Amino acid sequence: MQFHDHGYVSADPRVRPAAGTGIDRPSELPDEVDVLIVGSGPAGMLLAAQLAQFPSVTTRIVERRGGRLEIGQADGIQARSVETFQAFGFAEEITAEAYQITAMNFWTPDPKNPENIVRTSRTVDDPEGISEFPHLIVNQARVLDYFAAVAKNSPTRTTPDYGLEFVALKVGEGSYPVEVTLRHTTGEREGSERTVRAKYVVGCDGARSAVRGSIGRTMTGNQAMHAWAVMDVLAVTDFPDIRTKCAIQSEHGSILHIPREGGYLFRMYVDLGEVSPEDAGAVRRTTVDTAIAKANEILHPYTLDVRSVAWYSVYEVGHRLTDKFDDVPEGCEGQVPRVFIAGDACHTHSAKAGQGMNVSMQDGFNLGWKLGAVLEGRSPESLLATYSAERQKIAQNLIDFDKEWSTLMAKKPEEFESAQALGEFYVRTAEFPAGFMTQYEPSMITGEATHQGLAKGFPIGKRFKSVKVTRGADTNVIHLGHHARADGRWRLYAFADTDGSSLTEWAAWLAGSEDSPVNRFTPKGADLDAVFDVKAVYQQDYTAVDLSTVPPVFLPRVGPFQLIDYEKVYAALPDPDIFEARDIDRGGCVVVVRPDQYVAHVLPLSATSELTEFFAQNMLERAKVATA
Amino acid sequence: MQFHDHGYVSADPRVRPAAGTGIDRPSELPDEVDVLIVGSGPAGMLLAAQLAQFPSVTTRIVERRGGRLEIGQADGIQARSVETFQAFGFAEEITAEAYQITAMNFWTPDPKNPENIVRTSRTVDDPEGISEFPHLIVNQARVLDYFAAVAKNSPTRTTPDYGLEFVALKVGEGSYPVEVTLRHTTGEREGSERTVRAKYVVGCDGARSAVRGSIGRTMTGNQAMHAWAVMDVLAVTDFPDIRTKCAIQSEHGSILHIPREGGYLFRMYVDLGEVSPEDAGAVRRTTVDTAIAKANEILHPYTLDVRSVAWYSVYEVGHRLTDKFDDVPEGCEGQVPRVFIAGDACHTHSAKAGQGMNVSMQDGFNLGWKLGAVLEGRSPESLLATYSAERQKIAQNLIDFDKEWSTLMAKKPEEFESAQALGEFYVRTAEFPAGFMTQYEPSMITGEATHQGLAKGFPIGKRFKSVKVTRGADTNVIHLGHHARADGRWRLYAFADTDGSSLTEWAAWLAGSEDSPVNRFTPKGADLDAVFDVKAVYQQDYTAVDLSTVPPVFLPRVGPFQLIDYEKVYAALPDPDIFEARDIDRGGCVVVVRPDQYVAHVLPLSATSELTEFFAQNMLERAKVATA
C-alpha cells in the first residue's frame, strides 16, 4: 500500500484525501451527473467504486432499497473476484471473514442400500494452483459493504443514494443527453418523481431490469425455468460433511450444499425441478418447512434439525441473455452508446456454478475504467463500444457452461456413467468457474498475438497471472501483479534482456521520445506515471540490481514533493523465476496490461512504434483534462 | 473468524453484539469502575482491548491528550506483536498497510576512502523462520487505532476517555478501594478535578509516570543519558538503501535508518552521543536542520534532500527499570495488588532495538486476562501477583539486551573486530528482538517441565509456536495457533495417541468426571467451552478423521441454538507434520496454553489429576459469575 506521497497521513491510509467532485460533494442527488448507475448490486457497486477513483467525474448510484442489503442473495466468490478485491484493496480483510472452499465432496445413493446416501468422491478445489487467491463464500451484503467503503474512502467520497428507483429514461441531445426519471421509495418524498440528466446511464438493476426495458433490449434463450428452494440456516446435524461444499444426489432429489462464513451457518439449494408452464407461481409458494423436510429425505440416513432460518427463498431461473449490453442499435456501430446494462440485467442462469455475482462484478470492472478514461478526455468515445462487444461473449460462455453444469447436477444418479462422473467434470473444468477462462479478442484495446512467443505465459486477452518477485528497493518478496490497483491506469511490464541494454534503450525512448505513449498520452503537468504505470523486471537476483543504474522512468518522481516511487523495480526470484514460470524470452519484452488486469499486448523491447500505434487506437493525444 | 453462533450477523462480524457493561455504557466516566487504565499508549490500549472482552467488567481508560495520537512515537513491530495482533483480529489489516522488514544492511566507512560510507553486509531478517509472522514498521498511532477499534467493537463498547489526566491516588478500603483524582485537560471543564473509585488502577502513563510516583516506585539504573535526533521525513536521496533498514556508521557519527510504511516516508535516528551531566537540556535544543546536516555528513558521498518533515524529536534516554510493577511492598507478598504499572512507566531504554512498544504491549497482554479472570470471580486475587513477578524479569532482560545492542551501535567503526561484526550480532540474537525469548518460570500458572519430553517443541513458559494443520470439518489448512483469540480463555491442545484410544479416554474424563477442570471451573450454565477451549489434533491425515467418532467434548454445543462448533478438531498435515515439527510423543499429550498464548504445561493424557491440580492453583471452583 502506497501513501504519504502527498504528505504525511496520520489516520487510516485507505481513506484518501478528497479531491475533485469529492470536495463539497452534495448529499442530495444533483440535476446533472456524468454517470448514473441504477442498482447497488455487485455490478453497480464495483462500478461505483471504480469510478470513484476518477476525481473529475461525477458518479451517482441510485438504489431502490432504503439502505444496505442485509440478507440473502449470492455468496460464491471465485478466485478471480478475490484477485479483483485485491486491486480494490480489501482482499485480506474479506478473506479473513469468509469461508474458504478447499474441497468439494460428492454424495450419491449407496448401491447396497439406495435409501441412504454415501460419499462417493472427495475433490480438491483448484488442485492445479490456477490462482494464488482462494475460493471463498461470503455474503453478497458484505461484498457490497466493502465496495461501499472503497467508494466512500476514495477522492470522490461516493456513497449510494438509497430510496430511489428507476422509472424511465430517454436519450436526447446536449452535454447530458440522457434524461432519467426516478421515484422516491422511502421517506417524506415517497412516491414523488424527479428527473436527472446524465452523460451515461448504467443499468445494474437485476434480472427484471427496467433500464434494459427502456432501451428495448430483451432477454432471449431457454424458456424452461428451473426452481430451487434456497435456505441459509443454523442447524444441528450428524451429516459429516456439513462444513464442506457438497453435491448430494439421492433418490429423493438433490442438494447443493454450501457451508457459510463464521463456522455455523450453511446454505442448501434444494432442487425443486423443472417448472411446468402451467405452474402459475405455485412452486414459489413452497414453504421453508417443505424444503427442510425434503432436505431431510435427501440426506437420509442423516438428519437436519434446523434451529434458525436466516434467509429463505425460492428461485425460478432460466438461461437467458440479451444480445447486446448497450443502447446502440444493430447496424449503427459508429454511434456512441449512452446507456449500458450489466450483471443480471444482461444474463440469468442457475446459481449452481456460483458464477452470478462474479461475472456481474467483471462486467462492472470492464466498463468502469472505460467510462473514466472517456470522461477524463483521455480516450475516444469509441472505446465504450468495446464493453458490449467483450462482455456479451463472456456472458454467452457463462450460459453455456452453466447449462452443462446444471444439467449434470439435475441428472439422476443412475444416469451417470460412474459415481465419480460429476466430481471429474468439476475438477476438469475448474478454470472456468474460478473466473480465468475469459479471453478477450483482438480489438482497439487488445493486440494481435504476433509476438506472443516472447511471453507465452501471459496470453494476450487473458488476465495477467501474477508471479512472486523481489522488489528491488526493499527486498520484499511480493506478487508482481498485486501492486496493480484498480486506479484506471495502464501497466507496462518491461521484462529486461540479460544485460539490460535493450531495456535501458527502451526506457530512454519511453521517457525521452516525443513519440512515446508516455509523452503523447499523459496530460501535461501530470506525474510521469499518471496514465502509464511502468515497471521493470530484471532477470538477475536483487543484489545485482543497482538502483543507481536503473533508468529513471522506473523511478518516477511523484506528488507535490516530487518524491521517488521505489516500487516499480523488481528482480526475479531463484524460485519461482518469473522468466521461467511465464516462459519469457531472455531477450526481454514488454507486456501491456489493461486497467482491468487483462493482458493487452506483448511486444519486443525494440517495437517502439508498434507500442505507440497500439495506444493511438484507444487514447487521445495529450489530453487537456488533468488527472488528480 | 467465527460468528453467527448467536444468530445471523448481517454486517461486519468484527462488531460483536453489545453485552453486560456495554449495554447502555455511559459516555461520561462513572464514579466507580472495576479497572481504571491511565494512559492510552500501547500497553494501555492493549489492556483496554483485552478487558473489553469481559462483559461483566467495567473498564475505563483515561488519556491526557484530547484525542487520538497523530504523529511520531514508536514504529517497530516485532513478529510477536503481529502474533498478538492476530489474536486480536487485525494482523492482516495492519500488515497490509505496514512496511515489512526483510533485510537489514550495514554500512561502514570505505577503507580506501574513509570519508565515504560503503555497504559492508546485507543480512536477512529472520533467516531461520523464527515466526510465520512478519517484522513490521507501522506508526504507533495506527497500532492504537486498531486496538481502539477492537475495544469499541467488543461487547463492552469500550472507548477512551480523552482529556483527563491523572493527578493522584490513594488506596483505602471497601469494594472500590482505590480513590483516583483526575483533572480535565480540555473543554469547558479544563482544569477542574474529579474523583473516581476503582477496584484496580493500571498506570500506562509513560516514562514520567505519575501513577508510578503515587505508589512510591522509582526507576533505577544507568544514570547516563544518550541522545538521538529522530526524524520522520519525506526526502529525495541517491542513497541506494533508503528503502532498507540500515545501521550506518561513519566517521561523522551513526544513523539507524528505518523505512516507513507507505513507500516514501522514512525515519532516521541520528546519534547525538552521551549527554554530559552539565548539558542542562542543551542537546534537546538540537534543531531539525542540524540533524539533517549531520545526516548528510554521515551519508557522504550520498545526499539527502529533505522535502517535508512529518515529525521531529530529540530523545534522551537512560536504561532504567523499576524493581516492582505493582504497589505491594517488599515483604508483604500475600497482599492484593491494587495498582499496577506497565510499559514505559516500568522500563526505559534506547529505541535502537525497536523493542519499546512491543514489550509494553506484552505487559498489557500479561495483565489483562488476569484482571478479567479475577474480576469475573473465576480466579483468586493471588493471580494478580504473577504480573509483576513475570514481567519485571522480562524488562530486566530487555534492558540487558538493549544495553548490549546500543553499546555496539554507538561503537566507532574501528573499534569492531571486523566490518561484519555488527551484522553478525544482529543475526545471532534475532530471536530476542523478534519477541520470542520470553520464558516464564514455574508458578501457579506455569507448570514444571517434568513431562516436557512429550512435546519438546512446546517449551513450557514460552509462547505456543504454531504449526499448520488441517481442520477436520472443512479440510482448510490453517495455523493451529491462529485459532486462539484474545478472549481470556485457556486452551487445552490434546494431541492424540496413534489409535486415539487414550485421547478418547481423556476426553470422556474431561467431559464426564466431576473432578475435571471443565466441570470444576466452568461456571454453571455457561457453554462447555466458556473457560477451556479444548481442541484435538490427530496424527492421521484428515480423511482418516471421522467426525462421528470424535469425542463430543471436541464438538461442543454453543450459544442459544446449541449449535456444534466444528473448529476444534484437527489432523496433522503430511508436511509439516506437527508431531514431527514440535517433537510430540506418538503416545499423545496435553499442551496447556494460557490466555496470553504462553505454554503453561505439558502433561500425559493419563495425568488427569495433575491437570486438575494445576488449575486448582489458579482457578476458583464453579465460579458464580457467569461469563457472557
Side-chain angles (χ1 to χ4, degrees):
Chain A
M1 200 183 299
Q2 288 183 280
F3 48 95
H4 293 323
D5 50 318
H6 280 59
Y8 186 74
V9 176
S10 163
D12 190 348
R14 294 164 185 86
V15 182
R16 292 165 55 205
T21 61
I23 299 168
D24 301 325
R25 180 181 185 276
S27 59
E28 181 80 6
L29 185 65
D31 292 334
E32 290 179 344
V33 302
D34 293 323
V35 182
L36 185 74
I37 303 167
V38 180
S40 71
M45 282 306 288
L46 185 145
L47 185 58
Q50 175 67 89
L51 284 166
Q53 313 310 318
F54 295 83
S56 69
V57 177
T58 298
T59 304
R60 303 294 289 222
I61 174 167
V62 295
E63 166 59 52
R64 174 192 293 158
R65 270 194 324 274
R68 71 180 275 279
L69 179 69
E70 297 202 345
I71 51 167
Q73 313 282 0
D75 59 3
I77 310 284
Q78 54 178 220
R80 168 61 188 157
S81 293
V82 185
E83 185 173 74
T84 304
F85 298 162
Q86 199 278 329
F88 280 92
F90 61 83
E92 293 95 347
E93 278 176 80
I94 201 166
T95 300
E97 66 180 87
Y99 172 83
Q100 188 168 340
I101 299 179
T102 52
M104 181 167 180
N105 292 352
F106 292 82
W107 291 71
T108 54
D110 184 349
K112 285 173 265 172
N113 183 1
E115 274 293 294
N116 291 349
I117 55 168
V118 289
R119 190 194 295 118
T120 328
S121 68
R122 296 177 187 263
T123 64
V124 176
D125 212 80
D126 191 11
E128 307 302 322
I130 291 166
S131 172
E132 72 274 16
F133 290 102
H135 182 184
L136 304 179
I137 298 292
V138 65
N139 197 324
Q140 176 177 329
R142 293 295 295 148
V143 175
L144 302 183
D145 285 346
Y146 279 103
F147 278 118
V150 171
K152 183 159 199 303
N153 293 338
S154 295
T156 60
R157 297 287 185 268
T158 304
T159 54
D161 294 288
Y162 288 115
L164 278 170
E165 71 178 341
F166 175 90
V167 179
L169 67 75
K170 57 182 182 210
V171 181
E173 302 289 321
S175 334
Y176 295 88
V178 194
E179 185 180 290
V180 183
T181 306
L182 302 170
R183 187 188 295 124
H184 290 278
T185 63
T186 57
E188 289 182 3
R189 287 177 289 184
E190 187 177 335
S192 70
E193 293 189 352
R194 64 162 296 190
T195 302
V196 176
R197 301 191 67 93
K199 288 182 180 160
Y200 302 100
V201 171
V202 189
C204 306
D205 49 344
R208 294 188 185 82
S209 171
V211 174
R212 182 183 67 221
S214 76
I215 58 171
R217 298 274 167 219
T218 52
M219 298 288 254
T220 57
N222 193 341
Q223 287 305 307
M225 300 292 269
H226 199 105
W228 295 272
V230 193
M231 52 185 180
D232 282 341
V233 298
L234 295 166
V236 172
T237 180
D238 55 354
F239 179 61
D241 282 359
I242 200 70
R243 298 302 307 160
T244 304
K245 182 182 174 192
C246 294
I248 304 161
Q249 299 181 292
S250 82
E251 297 206 319
H252 300 280
S254 68
I255 285 175
L256 176 65
H257 171 70
I258 314 278
R260 292 288 301 267
E261 62 273 27
Y264 301 95
L265 192 74
F266 56 84
R267 171 172 290 189
M268 283 185 168
Y269 291 90
V270 181
D271 199 334
L272 301 178
E274 297 297 318
V275 184
S276 84
E278 295 79 42
D279 181 74
V283 74
R284 288 202 206 156
R285 291 189 292 275
T286 307
T287 65
V288 68
D289 289 334
T290 304
I292 291 168
K294 193 166 169 71
N296 269 290
E297 281 176 21
I298 295 168
L299 290 170
H300 190 271
Y302 305 105
T303 60
L304 190 66
D305 173 10
V306 174
R307 304 274 167 99
S308 174
V309 178
W311 180 65
Y312 174 70
S313 183
V314 176
Y315 269 105
E316 266 185 290
V317 191
H319 287 99
R320 309 263 175 94
L321 178 64
T322 52
D323 54 339
K324 209 150 178 293
F325 290 9
D326 64 30
D327 64 336
V328 176
E330 263 65 23
C332 303
E333 274 65 37
Q335 190 180 313
V336 176
R338 289 291 170 186
V339 183
F340 307 85
I341 50 177
D344 288 356
C346 312
H347 37 78
T348 67
H349 49 87
S350 90
K352 290 277 170 94
Q355 294 298 295
M357 170 158 55
N358 300 283
V359 175
S360 297
M361 288 193 286
Q362 294 303 316
D363 286 347
F365 204 16
N366 184 288
L367 180 57
W369 67 270
K370 296 173 182 176
L371 281 170
V374 168
L375 284 163
E376 278 196 341
R378 293 201 274 116
S379 287
E381 289 174 319
S382 57
L383 176 63
L384 299 175
T386 64
Y387 166 67
S388 179
E390 290 187 335
R391 295 304 297 174
Q392 204 271 352
K393 286 199 187 80
I394 302 305
Q396 183 63 59
N397 295 344
L398 165 64
I399 302 285
D400 294 346
F401 176 82
D402 187 72
K403 266 185 193 166
E404 193 172 357
W405 179 235
S406 59
T407 305
L408 279 175
M409 290 281 288
K411 262 189 177 178
K412 291 201 170 56
E414 60 272 21
E415 294 168 3
F416 284 96
E417 278 177 35
S418 79
Q420 285 74 35
L422 194 56
E424 284 162 10
F425 178 84
Y426 182 73
V427 170
R428 196 169 63 243
T429 59
E431 192 179 351
F432 191 95
F436 297 117
M437 284 290 277
T438 295
Q439 185 161 19
Y440 295 129
E441 293 178 8
S443 71
M444 68 193 288
I445 48 174
T446 305
E448 296 284 349
T450 319
H451 302 284
Q452 182 72 71
L454 297 177
K456 295 196 193 80
F458 290 122
I460 296 171
K462 293 188 90 167
R463 78 86 176 69
F464 182 84
K465 185 176 179 183
S466 183
V467 180
K468 282 188 177 174
V469 292
T470 307
R471 193 159 54 205
D474 60 12
T475 76
N476 274 212
V477 173
I478 54 113
H479 253 290
L480 182 59
H482 298 197
H483 189 264
R485 311 312 281 181
D487 56 11
R489 292 191 294 171
W490 285 77
R491 286 176 171 93
L492 305 181
Y493 293 91
F495 289 91
D497 49 326
T498 307
D499 71 0
S501 59
S502 302
L503 180 79
T504 300
E505 246 176 82
W506 181 83
W509 167 78
L510 195 70
S513 167
E514 274 304 303
D515 195 45
S516 89
V518 167
N519 287 317
R520 279 181 61 178
F521 304 118
T522 304
K524 276 195 165 60
D527 281 339
L528 187 64
D529 68 347
V531 174
F532 299 97
D533 178 14
V534 187
K535 300 174 206 286
V537 187
Y538 289 88
Q539 297 182 23
Q540 292 78 11
D541 178 67
Y542 73 90
T543 56
V545 177
D546 178 357
L547 283 184
S548 68
T549 64
V550 167
V553 76
F554 303 120
L555 294 162
R557 307 295 179 107
V558 300
F561 302 113
Q562 289 292 286
L563 304 171
I564 299 169
D565 182 342
Y566 285 98
E567 303 201 0
K568 296 178 192 278
V569 181
Y570 302 90
L573 283 164
D575 184 29
D577 173 351
I578 188 169
F579 283 77
E580 293 292 327
R582 293 293 171 267
D583 209 351
I584 298 164
D585 194 280
R586 294 288 171 179
C589 69
V590 180
V591 176
V592 180
V593 179
R594 298 165 25 159
D596 55 3
Q597 307 182 315
Y598 284 83
V599 176
H601 218 344
V602 173
L603 287 169
L605 288 165
S606 58
T608 52
S609 57
E610 287 92 328
L611 189 65
T612 297
E613 281 157 25
F614 174 74
F615 285 111
Q617 300 175 94
N618 57 55
M619 290 199 184
L620 297 173
E621 202 96 353
R622 284 197 180 280
K624 299 295 182 298
V625 182
T627 58
Chain B
M1 201 182 299
Q2 288 183 281
F3 48 94
H4 292 323
D5 49 317
H6 279 60
Y8 186 74
V9 176
S10 164
D12 190 347
R14 295 164 186 87
V15 182
R16 293 165 55 207
T21 62
I23 300 168
D24 301 325
R25 180 182 185 274
S27 59
E28 183 79 7
L29 185 66
D31 292 333
E32 290 178 345
V33 302
D34 293 323
V35 182
L36 184 74
I37 303 167
V38 180
S40 71
M45 284 305 289
L46 185 145
L47 185 58
Q50 176 67 89
L51 284 166
Q53 313 310 318
F54 294 84
S56 69
V57 177
T58 299
T59 305
R60 303 294 289 221
I61 174 166
V62 295
E63 166 59 51
R64 174 192 294 156
R65 271 194 323 274
R68 70 180 276 278
L69 179 69
E70 295 202 344
I71 50 168
Q73 312 283 359
D75 58 3
I77 310 285
Q78 54 178 220
R80 169 61 189 155
S81 293
V82 185
E83 186 173 74
T84 303
F85 298 163
Q86 199 278 328
F88 280 92
F90 61 83
E92 294 95 347
E93 278 177 78
I94 200 166
T95 300
E97 67 181 86
Y99 172 83
Q100 188 167 341
I101 299 178
T102 52
M104 181 167 180
N105 293 351
F106 292 81
W107 291 72
T108 54
D110 184 349
K112 284 174 264 171
N113 183 3
E115 274 294 293
N116 291 349
I117 55 168
V118 289
R119 191 194 293 118
T120 328
S121 69
R122 296 177 187 264
T123 63
V124 176
D125 212 79
D126 192 10
E128 306 302 321
I130 291 168
S131 172
E132 71 274 17
F133 291 102
H135 182 184
L136 304 179
I137 299 292
V138 65
N139 197 324
Q140 176 177 329
R142 294 294 296 146
V143 175
L144 302 183
D145 285 347
Y146 279 102
F147 278 118
V150 171
K152 183 161 199 302
N153 294 338
S154 295
T156 59
R157 297 288 185 267
T158 304
T159 55
D161 293 289
Y162 289 115
L164 278 170
E165 71 178 341
F166 175 89
V167 178
L169 67 74
K170 56 182 182 210
V171 181
E173 300 291 320
S175 331
Y176 296 87
V178 195
E179 184 181 292
V180 184
T181 306
L182 301 170
R183 187 187 295 125
H184 290 279
T185 63
T186 57
E188 288 180 7
R189 287 177 288 184
E190 187 178 336
S192 69
E193 293 190 351
R194 65 161 296 190
T195 301
V196 176
R197 299 191 69 92
K199 289 182 180 161
Y200 302 100
V201 171
V202 190
C204 306
D205 49 345
R208 295 186 185 81
S209 172
V211 175
R212 183 184 65 219
S214 77
I215 57 171
R217 297 276 167 217
T218 52
M219 297 289 254
T220 57
N222 195 340
Q223 286 306 308
M225 299 293 268
H226 199 105
W228 297 273
V230 193
M231 52 186 182
D232 282 342
V233 298
L234 295 166
V236 172
T237 180
D238 54 355
F239 179 60
D241 282 358
I242 200 72
R243 299 301 309 159
T244 304
K245 183 182 172 192
C246 294
I248 304 162
Q249 298 181 292
S250 83
E251 298 206 320
H252 299 280
S254 67
I255 285 174
L256 176 65
H257 171 70
I258 313 277
R260 293 289 300 269
E261 60 273 28
Y264 300 96
L265 192 75
F266 55 84
R267 172 172 291 189
M268 282 185 171
Y269 290 89
V270 181
D271 199 334
L272 301 178
E274 296 298 318
V275 183
S276 85
E278 295 78 43
D279 181 76
V283 74
R284 289 202 205 155
R285 293 189 291 273
T286 306
T287 65
V288 67
D289 289 335
T290 304
I292 292 168
K294 194 165 169 67
N296 268 289
E297 280 176 21
I298 294 168
L299 289 170
H300 189 271
Y302 305 105
T303 61
L304 191 66
D305 173 10
V306 174
R307 304 275 167 100
S308 174
V309 177
W311 180 64
Y312 174 70
S313 183
V314 176
Y315 268 104
E316 266 185 290
V317 191
H319 288 98
R320 310 261 175 96
L321 178 63
T322 52
D323 54 340
K324 209 148 179 294
F325 290 9
D326 65 30
D327 64 335
V328 177
E330 262 65 22
C332 303
E333 274 64 37
Q335 189 179 313
V336 176
R338 289 291 170 185
V339 183
F340 306 86
I341 50 177
D344 288 356
C346 311
H347 37 77
T348 66
H349 49 85
S350 90
K352 290 274 170 95
Q355 293 299 294
M357 171 158 56
N358 300 283
V359 175
S360 297
M361 288 192 287
Q362 294 303 315
D363 285 348
F365 204 16
N366 184 289
L367 180 57
W369 67 270
K370 295 173 182 175
L371 281 170
V374 169
L375 284 162
E376 277 196 341
R378 293 200 274 115
S379 288
E381 288 174 320
S382 57
L383 176 62
L384 300 175
T386 65
Y387 166 67
S388 179
E390 291 187 335
R391 295 303 298 173
Q392 204 271 351
K393 286 198 188 79
I394 302 305
Q396 183 63 59
N397 295 344
L398 165 64
I399 302 283
D400 295 344
F401 176 81
D402 187 71
K403 267 185 193 166
E404 193 172 356
W405 179 234
S406 59
T407 304
L408 279 175
M409 290 280 289
K411 262 189 176 178
K412 292 202 169 54
E414 60 273 21
E415 295 168 4
F416 284 97
E417 279 178 37
S418 77
Q420 285 74 38
L422 195 55
E424 284 163 11
F425 178 84
Y426 182 73
V427 171
R428 196 170 63 244
T429 59
E431 192 178 352
F432 191 95
F436 298 116
M437 285 290 278
T438 295
Q439 184 160 20
Y440 296 128
E441 292 177 10
S443 71
M444 68 193 290
I445 48 175
T446 305
E448 296 284 348
T450 319
H451 301 284
Q452 183 70 71
L454 297 175
K456 294 196 194 80
F458 291 121
I460 296 172
K462 294 189 90 170
R463 78 87 175 67
F464 182 85
K465 185 176 179 183
S466 182
V467 180
K468 283 188 176 174
V469 292
T470 307
R471 192 160 53 207
D474 60 14
T475 76
N476 274 213
V477 173
I478 54 114
H479 254 290
L480 182 59
H482 298 198
H483 188 265
R485 312 310 282 181
D487 55 10
R489 291 190 295 171
W490 285 76
R491 287 176 170 92
L492 305 181
Y493 294 90
F495 290 90
D497 49 325
T498 307
D499 71 1
S501 59
S502 302
L503 180 79
T504 300
E505 246 175 81
W506 180 83
W509 166 79
L510 194 70
S513 167
E514 274 303 302
D515 196 46
S516 89
V518 166
N519 287 317
R520 278 183 61 179
F521 305 117
T522 304
K524 275 194 166 57
D527 280 340
L528 189 63
D529 68 346
V531 175
F532 298 98
D533 178 15
V534 188
K535 302 173 205 284
V537 186
Y538 289 88
Q539 297 181 23
Q540 292 78 12
D541 177 67
Y542 72 89
T543 56
V545 176
D546 179 358
L547 284 183
S548 68
T549 64
V550 167
V553 77
F554 302 121
L555 293 163
R557 307 296 180 105
V558 300
F561 303 112
Q562 288 292 287
L563 304 171
I564 298 169
D565 182 343
Y566 284 99
E567 304 202 359
K568 296 178 192 280
V569 181
Y570 302 89
L573 283 164
D575 184 29
D577 173 350
I578 188 168
F579 283 76
E580 294 292 328
R582 293 292 171 268
D583 208 351
I584 298 164
D585 194 279
R586 294 287 170 181
C589 69
V590 180
V591 177
V592 179
V593 179
R594 300 164 26 159
D596 55 3
Q597 306 182 314
Y598 284 83
V599 176
H601 219 345
V602 173
L603 286 170
L605 289 165
S606 58
T608 51
S609 57
E610 286 92 328
L611 188 65
T612 297
E613 281 157 26
F614 174 74
F615 286 110
Q617 301 175 94
N618 57 56
M619 292 197 182
L620 297 173
E621 202 97 351
R622 283 197 180 281
K624 299 295 182 296
V625 181
T627 57

